[in-house]
């Protein structure tokens, strides 16, 4: 099972940019880029909470679970 972040899709749906997200999270572009490209290996609960607030979504909206192919 693979767990991926759905952040880029949420941004696209709401016509928001990664730059906007960087500013809202008070983060840096490298971190946001990793999150949007599913290149993060860990994510703090605090980050999930901030993402939910700025993207106006629930935690389960941030994640997509995919089954691995055998």
């Amino acid at each position: 099972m693979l767990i991926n972040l759905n952040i880029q899709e949420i941004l696209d749906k709401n016509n928001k940019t990664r730059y906007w997200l960087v500013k809202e999270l008070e983060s840096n572009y490298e971190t946001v880029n990793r999150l949007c490209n599913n290149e993060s290996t860990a994510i703090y609960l605090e980050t999930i909470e901030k993402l939910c607030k700025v993207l106006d979504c629930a935690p389960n909206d941030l994640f997509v679970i995919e089954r691995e192919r055998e």
Side-chain angles (χ1 to χ4, degrees), residues 18-30:
R18 291 181 185 193
Y19 178 77
W20 173 85
L21 189 57
V22 168
K23 294 298 183 190
E24 291 294 312
L25 292 178
E26 298 176 350
S27 185
N28 61 61
Y29 195 78
E30 184 178 344

Side-chain angles (χ1 to χ4, degrees), residues 9-41:
E9 288 80 8
I10 295 171
L11 288 173
D12 292 343
K13 177 181 164 188
N14 292 302
N15 295 316
K16 302 290 184 186
T17 64
R18 291 181 185 193
Y19 178 77
W20 173 85
L21 189 57
V22 168
K23 294 298 183 190
E24 291 294 312
L25 292 178
E26 298 176 350
S27 185
N28 61 61
Y29 195 78
E30 184 178 344
T31 299
V32 169
N33 223 23
R34 277 197 194 123
L35 291 170
C36 289
N37 292 334
N38 283 298
E39 295 171 349
S40 295
T41 56

